Amino acid sequence: MNVAVSPSTPVAVKLATFAAEASPPPAAAATCRRLIFDIVALAIAARDTDYVQAALKSAVDEGSCTAFGHGRKLGLYDAALVNGTAAHGEDYDDTFEGGPIHAGAVIVSAVLAIAEKRGLDGKAVMRGIAVGTELMCRMSLVAPQATHKASFHPTAIFGAPAAAAAVGAAIGLDANQIARAMGISGSLASGIIEYLADGSSTKRLHAGAAAQAGIRAALLAEGGFTGPLTVFDGTNGMYKAFAPSKVPDFSHLVDTLGKEWILETLAFKPYACGTMTQPFIDCAIALANTGVKADDIVSINCNVGEGTVHRLWEPLADKHRPPNGYAGKFSTPYCMAVGFTDGEAGLGQFTDERVLDPALRALAAKVSFVIDPSDPYPRNFTGHLRAVLKDGSVREIRQPYMRGGAHEPLPDDEMQAKFEANLKFGGFTTERIGALRDALGRIADGERVDLSAARV
């Protein structure tokens, strides 16, 4: 059933009409292709971690869906939970500048799970991923920073309705059903950011839980269950509940929808840590490349955006001494210190052992910040450092944008190297990597969905 769209039409109905009819252009499809490869490899890289093993132990049934990097096949909901949690677990997954949100771990996990359950082909998969990713990116722009300010994680909150739309598009729900599915998802969305206090695992869970919630909402709507069509713009809607400090601007969500695909600007991370730390790592690596040594440095001061402080800079004393590898990913001082020292910030730089390195902690303790009122965050993620050296000289370095994003996308060879490195980290041989590459390529080309190469 088609739903008429007018200026007074609820936002969810407008989004659902797009979801039911959308056909992604080649550039958007190319981004979705990157997403599939990146997300599956990231999930496999994390397969032996304690949090993925715990998620697997929580699974309640066997089924027909692949848990990436594992021999066991799971039921639909458990597969989405485990894969989404694993893919987002090391914070090495895609991000959207302006949000920030992590769409791939949510949307790819949800759509691949329903594809295996329902026997969908790659065309349906690619369409569902494109729809869900586009909507999730746009949802994050409606009330920027307000979701974090309310102590919620945007990936968790907006992931649920975006995944509902993605699954609905993939399985062929009509616009009314997709709108109802998003309405249902508003009651399933959740995820607080208190993990920042101790580096616990709940942020990782948010992507998997959102994927699971989106599937549940879509299948409930398919069965005739209803949810409020005013889930976004109603008096008690999601933005009122999860982003109350700002008046939502829905033009970012609905204007140009279907004409412009903003998912094409999705950023793929070069470093395995928090999004806004990445330009600062580039600055630290650039400083090291000038020949400066850690012992030469008296202090490093950084200009930062106010919206990043409570997650990545404060309490500063705690950020100087992260308690574990996961907390290190959200400490800009630690990220800068390890980037300066190692020249990289991959999975090996964020182990529980590495963050306890006295030399890294000594360097991180030299890093401080000042809020820059002119910083463009969240519209753009920049980096800056001003290093005072023992000889009295000063080095100042700026990174004007996040590498891997719209200003400087990661080249294909770097994406391929990341794919292979993550799979090797997860224990895959060269032969297995090749088989998985071929299998994912066939899905992205619209062929049969066969994920047996992702199992061990």
Side-chain angles (χ1 to χ4, degrees):
M1 147 180 181
N2 292 323
V3 181
V5 175
S6 71
S8 61
T9 300
V11 167
V13 175
K14 296 178 182 179
L15 303 187
T17 302
F18 159 79
E21 301 172 356
S23 179
T31 300
C32 294
R33 185 186 190 97
R34 282 189 158 199
L35 273 180
I36 291 175
F37 279 80
D38 202 41
I39 291 304
V40 173
L42 285 165
I44 291 170
R47 68 192 184 102
D48 291 328
T49 58
D50 56 356
Y51 58 89
V52 172
Q53 293 300 315
L56 279 169
K57 289 176 182 176
S58 78
V60 297
D61 61 357
E62 306 300 319
S64 58
C65 301
T66 300
F68 304 139
H70 306 278
R72 180 183 175 191
K73 297 183 75 174
L74 304 177
L76 173 63
Y77 297 112
D78 285 332
L81 179 74
V82 170
N83 290 335
T85 300
H88 184 51
E90 296 306 309
D91 231 80
Y92 205 0
D93 50 331
D94 58 278
T95 189
F96 177 65
E97 297 166 281
I101 45 92
H102 304 279
V106 178
I107 305 302
V108 173
S109 299
V111 173
L112 287 180
I114 195 66
E116 286 194 288
K117 179 66 175 179
R118 293 286 182 93
L120 306 180
D121 63 18
K123 291 180 181 178
V125 167
M126 294 296 283
R127 187 167 173 274
I129 291 173
V131 163
T133 303
E134 179 70 14
L135 292 182
M136 192 167 169
C137 290
R138 286 176 175 266
M139 288 174 190
S140 73
L141 298 175
V142 171
Q145 302 187 61
T147 310
H148 273 130
K149 187 174 181 179
S151 298
F152 291 105
H153 185 195
T155 294
I157 302 308
F158 303 123
V167 172
I171 65 177
L173 298 187
D174 64 33
N176 182 63
Q177 290 172 312
I178 295 174
R180 292 298 184 184
M182 287 190 286
I184 295 165
S185 76
S187 291
L188 302 178
S190 185
I192 60 173
I193 60 174
E194 187 57 19
Y195 61 85
L196 290 167
D198 58 7
S200 52
S201 298
T202 49
K203 181 179 189 287
R204 293 160 159 148
L205 177 67
H206 293 166
Q212 185 183 67
I215 295 172
R216 178 75 72 181
L219 298 191
L220 282 167
E222 184 183 39
F225 207 88
T226 61
L229 297 179
T230 51
V231 62
F232 298 116
D233 46 351
T235 302
N236 300 296
M238 291 186 71
Y239 287 94
K240 178 66 176 295
F242 296 118
S245 64
K246 283 193 175 180
V247 176
D249 181 356
F250 291 109
S251 67
H252 295 292
L253 186 49
V254 298
D255 288 1
T256 74
L257 185 62
K259 300 175 183 177
E260 176 186 2
W261 290 74
I262 63 173
L263 72 80
E264 295 171 10
T265 67
L266 209 66
F268 291 86
K269 289 182 178 181
Y271 306 122
C273 50
T275 300
M276 282 75 68
T277 67
Q278 311 248 332
F280 291 92
I281 295 172
D282 281 328
C283 290
I285 292 174
L287 179 63
N289 288 341
T290 67
V292 171
K293 306 300 181 186
D295 288 344
D296 299 332
I297 299 171
V298 174
S299 65
I300 295 176
N301 190 256
C302 302
N303 291 344
V304 307
E306 187 275 335
T308 71
V309 170
H310 73 292
R311 282 169 288 145
L312 302 174
W313 289 97
E314 288 185 342
L316 187 57
D318 293 344
K319 297 299 184 182
H320 287 157
R321 301 174 61 84
N324 54 46
Y326 192 59
K329 292 172 179 287
F330 309 103
S331 160
T332 309
Y334 174 78
C335 289
M336 293 178 71
V338 79
F340 179 94
T341 302
D342 291 5
E344 59 179 323
L347 296 173
Q349 277 68 46
F350 295 96
T351 64
D352 290 349
E353 296 76 23
R354 192 77 174 101
V355 298
L356 299 179
D357 185 322
L360 289 178
R361 292 194 164 205
L363 181 55
K366 298 178 182 181
V367 180
S368 61
F369 73 94
V370 61
I371 294 173
D372 178 3
S374 66
D375 188 282
Y377 176 83
R379 298 186 310 277
N380 186 33
F381 304 154
T382 63
H384 164 268
L385 67 79
R386 184 178 184 273
V388 177
L389 307 184
K390 287 181 178 178
D391 64 7
S393 64
V394 175
R395 306 286 178 88
E396 191 159 11
I397 297 174
R398 296 183 184 275
Q399 174 61 30
Y401 48 75
M402 177 185 170
R403 282 195 317 110
H407 298 284
E408 188 183 345
L410 293 185
D412 289 341
D413 59 350
E414 194 166 344
M415 288 294 298
Q416 180 63 33
K418 180 183 177 183
F419 175 76
E420 293 180 2
N422 284 333
L423 291 175
K424 289 177 182 177
F425 190 89
F428 269 40
T429 64
T430 299
E431 183 180 1
R432 292 188 65 85
I433 291 171
L436 181 56
R437 182 190 298 112
D438 292 344
L440 296 179
R442 287 191 290 272
I443 294 171
D445 289 338
E447 300 178 25
R448 183 170 67 95
V449 175
D450 180 358
L451 290 168
S452 57
R455 298 193 291 271
V456 297

